[in-house]
Amino acid sequence: MGEFGEILRDYLETLAKLRAQGASEDGIRDAFLQFLRTAFPRLSAAEPFWLEKHIPALRVRGGFADTLYGDLIFEFKRRLDDASRRKGQEELQRYLSNQTPPDRYFGILTDGEMLEVYALRDGELTKVDELKLDAEKADECHLWLDCYLFHEKNLVPTANDVALRFGERSPTFWHSLRLLRSVWQRAKDTPSVQTKFAEWQSLLSIVYGSLVGDEELFLRHTYLALFARVLAFVVIQRRAPNESELDGLVTGETFERLGLDNFVTDDFFAWARDDAETATLLRSLATHLTASYDLSAINEDLLKELYQELVDPQTRHDLGEFYTPDWLAELTLRKAGFPSSPVPRPTPLVPSLLDPACGSGTFLFTAIRLLREAGFQGAELVNFCASHLAGVDVHPLAVTIARTNFVLALGDDLRAYGKHFSVPIFMADSLNLSEVPVDLNSLAKLAGKKRQPNLPTAFHLPAGLASQPEKLNDAIDALLAFADPKYDETDARKGFKAQLENLGIPPEQMGFW
């Protein structure tokens, strides 16, 4: 980032001279925009900076906004003291309120050095971010400016970059949340949606020790689950989904056609299916991803920071729930015997890995990367990962994110695999594996329903299945399939029994008969 650092240093020196000369707001604005044009030569000519005389659509009683660029409205001040800041905030409140929809726009109040970012959140002007330009922090400044202003193409994705572009400070997040709220109002009274919401609450009560899940958090989790689905599809297919594939991203049918049998089941976040605004959200996310990133160059857990940002950060902080940095995961795995250089063939013994509280899947992602560096590739890599790596977590969203990271780590090798693949990451309580992770009585109460009598509270899987991961996955998939409310108890028992017999598993070993 040396060239950008020099450009930034030159600009700050110019800004200091302008201030010493008593430059006007227009003078500071012109110098700032020239700095941006110099620092980011790839700015789209199709979306120029519009100065105040060119944007009558933004006119309100207070006058004109200084500059418009895409979804950003700039307001320049000579200095950001208390008086000018209050005036600038009032002007941004009016400008942003005049847009449709207002929550898709950011207002940036700046004196050319300090940039304060504001947005309308529930009708109130809210400060969401800030940056002070500093030549000693050129890398940080470049990333910040790029994420807010310019959407450069073919970037190598990083976790920090993904969090900035799609996290809670981004216009993409707030636009998506607005759409999900609208979908939720139409769907929330549906019995199946009420059940999914209740199941989600019940599992979170295990994670946090109490019922902490409200509707707003549920929508945040849904956003991240849908984002993960879109990201996985774009990585596998190297394109955005077409119209016929959008709903299947929510339900999992699109991924099943791609050979990923259990990547998305009919999970808690599939409630948003069959809605035009959900399709709009998915289409928008795919467009942003394909326009910004080179998704063939993923070399880290992209979703960890986004996950930590959106998964009830206050509760996580209070409980001391934090996630392992990539460097520590790599060091730990190397100490555990994962190879640090290409290994000869035939392959010597490489450790297996079971992560019983996998979170976003950092250890599993890192293990796959190390295996690739050791020479594993193609079908050999995919088969090894299917039989020697596994993850478990009780957090419903963590399982979705970990599965996504597993798929991202396999990347082109999985794309060329040519056979069906089940991601070996499961939702369960590793500290209490002898019991079903959901208290069925509490779940029924949360859903406002009476629990069916005579149903078992646990299923027992034969220990021998542990050495046959594909058959184990098929057995679990059968459990999920015949738990569908569309089957009455008799049909579910018959269908499940037949499926087990087809797999060569004596049904009585499952503890159901």
PDB file of all heavy atoms in Angstrom, residues 442-464:
ATOM      1  N   SER A 442     -40.421 -28.093  26.555  1.00  0.00           N
ATOM      2  CA  SER A 442     -40.262 -26.634  26.500  1.00  0.00           C
ATOM      3  C   SER A 442     -40.523 -26.116  25.108  1.00  0.00           C
ATOM      4  O   SER A 442     -41.123 -25.056  24.916  1.00  0.00           O
ATOM      5  CB  SER A 442     -38.844 -26.243  26.954  1.00  0.00           C
ATOM      6  OG  SER A 442     -38.622 -26.635  28.287  1.00  0.00           O
ATOM      7  N   LEU A 443     -40.052 -26.876  24.118  1.00  0.00           N
ATOM      8  CA  LEU A 443     -40.244 -26.456  22.733  1.00  0.00           C
ATOM      9  C   LEU A 443     -41.735 -26.389  22.402  1.00  0.00           C
ATOM     10  O   LEU A 443     -42.199 -25.425  21.789  1.00  0.00           O
ATOM     11  CB  LEU A 443     -39.548 -27.442  21.790  1.00  0.00           C
ATOM     12  CG  LEU A 443     -39.743 -27.206  20.290  1.00  0.00           C
ATOM     13  CD1 LEU A 443     -39.261 -25.832  19.898  1.00  0.00           C
ATOM     14  CD2 LEU A 443     -39.016 -28.285  19.495  1.00  0.00           C
ATOM     15  N   ALA A 444     -42.485 -27.408  22.801  1.00  0.00           N
ATOM     16  CA  ALA A 444     -43.911 -27.401  22.528  1.00  0.00           C
ATOM     17  C   ALA A 444     -44.598 -26.213  23.209  1.00  0.00           C
ATOM     18  O   ALA A 444     -45.473 -25.565  22.634  1.00  0.00           O
ATOM     19  CB  ALA A 444     -44.528 -28.719  22.998  1.00  0.00           C
ATOM     20  N   LYS A 445     -44.153 -25.904  24.424  1.00  0.00           N
ATOM     21  CA  LYS A 445     -44.732 -24.774  25.148  1.00  0.00           C
ATOM     22  C   LYS A 445     -44.427 -23.465  24.442  1.00  0.00           C
ATOM     23  O   LYS A 445     -45.288 -22.594  24.292  1.00  0.00           O
ATOM     24  CB  LYS A 445     -44.190 -24.759  26.579  1.00  0.00           C
ATOM     25  CG  LYS A 445     -44.813 -23.685  27.454  1.00  0.00           C
ATOM     26  CD  LYS A 445     -44.276 -23.779  28.881  1.00  0.00           C
ATOM     27  CE  LYS A 445     -44.912 -22.706  29.761  1.00  0.00           C
ATOM     28  NZ  LYS A 445     -44.385 -22.787  31.142  1.00  0.00           N
ATOM     29  N   LEU A 446     -43.169 -23.308  23.990  1.00  0.00           N
ATOM     30  CA  LEU A 446     -42.783 -22.092  23.285  1.00  0.00           C
ATOM     31  C   LEU A 446     -43.593 -21.917  22.004  1.00  0.00           C
ATOM     32  O   LEU A 446     -43.945 -20.804  21.616  1.00  0.00           O
ATOM     33  CB  LEU A 446     -41.287 -22.129  22.942  1.00  0.00           C
ATOM     34  CG  LEU A 446     -40.323 -21.850  24.076  1.00  0.00           C
ATOM     35  CD1 LEU A 446     -38.914 -22.230  23.656  1.00  0.00           C
ATOM     36  CD2 LEU A 446     -40.382 -20.392  24.483  1.00  0.00           C
ATOM     37  N   ALA A 447     -43.874 -23.020  21.320  1.00  0.00           N
ATOM     38  CA  ALA A 447     -44.622 -22.955  20.060  1.00  0.00           C
ATOM     39  C   ALA A 447     -46.122 -22.844  20.283  1.00  0.00           C
ATOM     40  O   ALA A 447     -46.874 -22.723  19.322  1.00  0.00           O
ATOM     41  CB  ALA A 447     -44.313 -24.200  19.225  1.00  0.00           C
ATOM     42  N   GLY A 448     -46.562 -22.883  21.556  1.00  0.00           N
ATOM     43  CA  GLY A 448     -47.988 -22.787  21.834  1.00  0.00           C
ATOM     44  C   GLY A 448     -48.746 -24.034  21.449  1.00  0.00           C
ATOM     45  O   GLY A 448     -49.926 -23.974  21.109  1.00  0.00           O
ATOM     46  N   LYS A 449     -48.080 -25.177  21.479  1.00  0.00           N
ATOM     47  CA  LYS A 449     -48.704 -26.428  21.055  1.00  0.00           C
ATOM     48  C   LYS A 449     -48.609 -27.469  22.178  1.00  0.00           C
ATOM     49  O   LYS A 449     -47.783 -27.360  23.073  1.00  0.00           O
ATOM     50  CB  LYS A 449     -48.027 -26.968  19.791  1.00  0.00           C
ATOM     51  CG  LYS A 449     -48.146 -26.035  18.597  1.00  0.00           C
ATOM     52  CD  LYS A 449     -47.443 -26.612  17.396  1.00  0.00           C
ATOM     53  CE  LYS A 449     -47.540 -25.671  16.206  1.00  0.00           C
ATOM     54  NZ  LYS A 449     -48.924 -25.447  15.786  1.00  0.00           N
ATOM     55  N   LYS A 450     -49.471 -28.470  22.079  1.00  0.00           N
ATOM     56  CA  LYS A 450     -49.424 -29.588  23.017  1.00  0.00           C
ATOM     57  C   LYS A 450     -48.550 -30.675  22.431  1.00  0.00           C
ATOM     58  O   LYS A 450     -48.712 -31.061  21.282  1.00  0.00           O
ATOM     59  CB  LYS A 450     -50.829 -30.118  23.275  1.00  0.00           C
ATOM     60  CG  LYS A 450     -50.875 -31.215  24.343  1.00  0.00           C
ATOM     61  CD  LYS A 450     -52.311 -31.635  24.614  1.00  0.00           C
ATOM     62  CE  LYS A 450     -52.336 -32.717  25.677  1.00  0.00           C
ATOM     63  NZ  LYS A 450     -53.729 -33.157  25.978  1.00  0.00           N
ATOM     64  N   ARG A 451     -47.622 -31.173  23.214  1.00  0.00           N
ATOM     65  CA  ARG A 451     -46.719 -32.196  22.710  1.00  0.00           C
ATOM     66  C   ARG A 451     -47.453 -33.514  22.471  1.00  0.00           C
ATOM     67  O   ARG A 451     -48.302 -33.924  23.264  1.00  0.00           O
ATOM     68  CB  ARG A 451     -45.589 -32.413  23.711  1.00  0.00           C
ATOM     69  CG  ARG A 451     -44.518 -33.342  23.144  1.00  0.00           C
ATOM     70  CD  ARG A 451     -43.444 -33.642  24.164  1.00  0.00           C
ATOM     71  NE  ARG A 451     -42.730 -34.837  23.743  1.00  0.00           N
ATOM     72  CZ  ARG A 451     -42.112 -35.659  24.557  1.00  0.00           C
ATOM     73  NH1 ARG A 451     -42.092 -35.425  25.835  1.00  0.00           N
ATOM     74  NH2 ARG A 451     -41.484 -36.708  24.084  1.00  0.00           N
ATOM     75  N   GLN A 452     -47.101 -34.173  21.352  1.00  0.00           N
ATOM     76  CA  GLN A 452     -47.704 -35.454  21.033  1.00  0.00           C
ATOM     77  C   GLN A 452     -47.288 -36.502  22.074  1.00  0.00           C
ATOM     78  O   GLN A 452     -46.118 -36.578  22.457  1.00  0.00           O
ATOM     79  CB  GLN A 452     -47.259 -35.920  19.644  1.00  0.00           C
ATOM     80  CG  GLN A 452     -47.767 -35.042  18.509  1.00  0.00           C
ATOM     81  CD  GLN A 452     -49.269 -35.171  18.335  1.00  0.00           C
ATOM     82  OE1 GLN A 452     -49.829 -36.246  18.509  1.00  0.00           O
ATOM     83  NE2 GLN A 452     -49.917 -34.067  18.013  1.00  0.00           N
ATOM     84  N   PRO A 453     -48.205 -37.314  22.530  1.00  0.00           N
ATOM     85  CA  PRO A 453     -47.850 -38.356  23.528  1.00  0.00           C
ATOM     86  C   PRO A 453     -47.102 -39.511  22.869  1.00  0.00           C
ATOM     87  O   PRO A 453     -47.145 -39.702  21.656  1.00  0.00           O
ATOM     88  CB  PRO A 453     -49.219 -38.807  24.053  1.00  0.00           C
ATOM     89  CG  PRO A 453     -50.157 -38.558  22.895  1.00  0.00           C
ATOM     90  CD  PRO A 453     -49.648 -37.304  22.212  1.00  0.00           C
ATOM     91  N   ASN A 454     -46.421 -40.277  23.699  1.00  0.00           N
ATOM     92  CA  ASN A 454     -45.793 -41.548  23.293  1.00  0.00           C
ATOM     93  C   ASN A 454     -44.662 -41.378  22.282  1.00  0.00           C
ATOM     94  O   ASN A 454     -44.287 -42.339  21.609  1.00  0.00           O
ATOM     95  CB  ASN A 454     -46.842 -42.513  22.714  1.00  0.00           C
ATOM     96  CG  ASN A 454     -47.975 -42.782  23.682  1.00  0.00           C
ATOM     97  OD1 ASN A 454     -47.739 -42.938  24.883  1.00  0.00           O
ATOM     98  ND2 ASN A 454     -49.205 -42.815  23.165  1.00  0.00           N
ATOM     99  N   LEU A 455     -44.125 -40.169  22.142  1.00  0.00           N
ATOM    100  CA  LEU A 455     -42.985 -39.991  21.250  1.00  0.00           C
ATOM    101  C   LEU A 455     -41.701 -40.175  22.040  1.00  0.00           C
ATOM    102  O   LEU A 455     -41.597 -39.761  23.199  1.00  0.00           O
ATOM    103  CB  LEU A 455     -42.997 -38.603  20.612  1.00  0.00           C
ATOM    104  CG  LEU A 455     -44.081 -38.339  19.562  1.00  0.00           C
ATOM    105  CD1 LEU A 455     -43.944 -36.906  19.037  1.00  0.00           C
ATOM    106  CD2 LEU A 455     -43.983 -39.327  18.413  1.00  0.00           C
ATOM    107  N   PRO A 456     -40.675 -40.774  21.439  1.00  0.00           N
ATOM    108  CA  PRO A 456     -39.404 -40.963  22.160  1.00  0.00           C
ATOM    109  C   PRO A 456     -38.715 -39.628  22.387  1.00  0.00           C
ATOM    110  O   PRO A 456     -38.932 -38.667  21.664  1.00  0.00           O
ATOM    111  CB  PRO A 456     -38.591 -41.843  21.198  1.00  0.00           C
ATOM    112  CG  PRO A 456     -39.162 -41.550  19.852  1.00  0.00           C
ATOM    113  CD  PRO A 456     -40.624 -41.317  20.078  1.00  0.00           C
ATOM    114  N   THR A 457     -37.891 -39.572  23.408  1.00  0.00           N
ATOM    115  CA  THR A 457     -37.137 -38.356  23.689  1.00  0.00           C
ATOM    116  C   THR A 457     -35.707 -38.440  23.201  1.00  0.00           C
ATOM    117  O   THR A 457     -34.958 -37.476  23.310  1.00  0.00           O
ATOM    118  CB  THR A 457     -37.123 -38.072  25.204  1.00  0.00           C
ATOM    119  OG1 THR A 457     -36.536 -39.189  25.872  1.00  0.00           O
ATOM    120  CG2 THR A 457     -38.527 -37.843  25.730  1.00  0.00           C
ATOM    121  N   ALA A 458     -35.314 -39.621  22.677  1.00  0.00           N
ATOM    122  CA  ALA A 458     -33.939 -39.759  22.189  1.00  0.00           C
ATOM    123  C   ALA A 458     -33.881 -40.854  21.135  1.00  0.00           C
ATOM    124  O   ALA A 458     -34.708 -41.772  21.131  1.00  0.00           O
ATOM    125  CB  ALA A 458     -32.986 -40.083  23.342  1.00  0.00           C
ATOM    126  N   PHE A 459     -32.901 -40.737  20.247  1.00  0.00           N
ATOM    127  CA  PHE A 459     -32.618 -41.772  19.262  1.00  0.00           C
ATOM    128  C   PHE A 459     -31.176 -42.227  19.488  1.00  0.00           C
ATOM    129  O   PHE A 459     -30.302 -41.415  19.774  1.00  0.00           O
ATOM    130  CB  PHE A 459     -32.781 -41.243  17.841  1.00  0.00           C
ATOM    131  CG  PHE A 459     -34.180 -40.825  17.515  1.00  0.00           C
ATOM    132  CD1 PHE A 459     -34.555 -39.499  17.583  1.00  0.00           C
ATOM    133  CD2 PHE A 459     -35.124 -41.763  17.147  1.00  0.00           C
ATOM    134  CE1 PHE A 459     -35.849 -39.109  17.288  1.00  0.00           C
ATOM    135  CE2 PHE A 459     -36.424 -41.391  16.843  1.00  0.00           C
ATOM    136  CZ  PHE A 459     -36.795 -40.059  16.920  1.00  0.00           C
ATOM    137  N   HIS A 460     -30.945 -43.516  19.354  1.00  0.00           N
ATOM    138  CA  HIS A 460     -29.634 -44.081  19.603  1.00  0.00           C
ATOM    139  C   HIS A 460     -29.043 -44.573  18.289  1.00  0.00           C
ATOM    140  O   HIS A 460     -29.621 -45.429  17.630  1.00  0.00           O
ATOM    141  CB  HIS A 460     -29.728 -45.227  20.617  1.00  0.00           C
ATOM    142  CG  HIS A 460     -30.359 -44.811  21.905  1.00  0.00           C
ATOM    143  ND1 HIS A 460     -29.669 -44.158  22.898  1.00  0.00           N
ATOM    144  CD2 HIS A 460     -31.645 -44.925  22.340  1.00  0.00           C
ATOM    145  CE1 HIS A 460     -30.483 -43.906  23.912  1.00  0.00           C
ATOM    146  NE2 HIS A 460     -31.687 -44.349  23.595  1.00  0.00           N
ATOM    147  N   LEU A 461     -27.901 -44.031  17.912  1.00  0.00           N
ATOM    148  CA  LEU A 461     -27.240 -44.436  16.682  1.00  0.00           C
ATOM    149  C   LEU A 461     -26.225 -45.533  16.985  1.00  0.00           C
ATOM    150  O   LEU A 461     -25.448 -45.420  17.937  1.00  0.00           O
ATOM    151  CB  LEU A 461     -26.529 -43.238  16.039  1.00  0.00           C
ATOM    152  CG  LEU A 461     -27.430 -42.067  15.648  1.00  0.00           C
ATOM    153  CD1 LEU A 461     -26.597 -40.921  15.094  1.00  0.00           C
ATOM    154  CD2 LEU A 461     -28.461 -42.509  14.625  1.00  0.00           C
ATOM    155  N   PRO A 462     -26.212 -46.599  16.188  1.00  0.00           N
ATOM    156  CA  PRO A 462     -25.235 -47.683  16.425  1.00  0.00           C
ATOM    157  C   PRO A 462     -23.807 -47.155  16.378  1.00  0.00           C
ATOM    158  O   PRO A 462     -23.454 -46.366  15.500  1.00  0.00           O
ATOM    159  CB  PRO A 462     -25.508 -48.654  15.270  1.00  0.00           C
ATOM    160  CG  PRO A 462     -26.904 -48.355  14.832  1.00  0.00           C
ATOM    161  CD  PRO A 462     -27.096 -46.890  15.062  1.00  0.00           C
ATOM    162  N   ALA A 463     -22.983 -47.599  17.308  1.00  0.00           N
ATOM    163  CA  ALA A 463     -21.604 -47.120  17.369  1.00  0.00           C
ATOM    164  C   ALA A 463     -20.839 -47.426  16.093  1.00  0.00           C
ATOM    165  O   ALA A 463     -19.930 -46.688  15.701  1.00  0.00           O
ATOM    166  CB  ALA A 463     -20.896 -47.740  18.580  1.00  0.00           C
ATOM    167  N   GLY A 464     -21.202 -48.531  15.420  1.00  0.00           N
ATOM    168  CA  GLY A 464     -20.499 -48.901  14.206  1.00  0.00           C
ATOM    169  C   GLY A 464     -20.619 -47.874  13.094  1.00  0.00           C
ATOM    170  O   GLY A 464     -19.791 -47.838  12.175  1.00  0.00           O
TER     171      GLY A 464
END
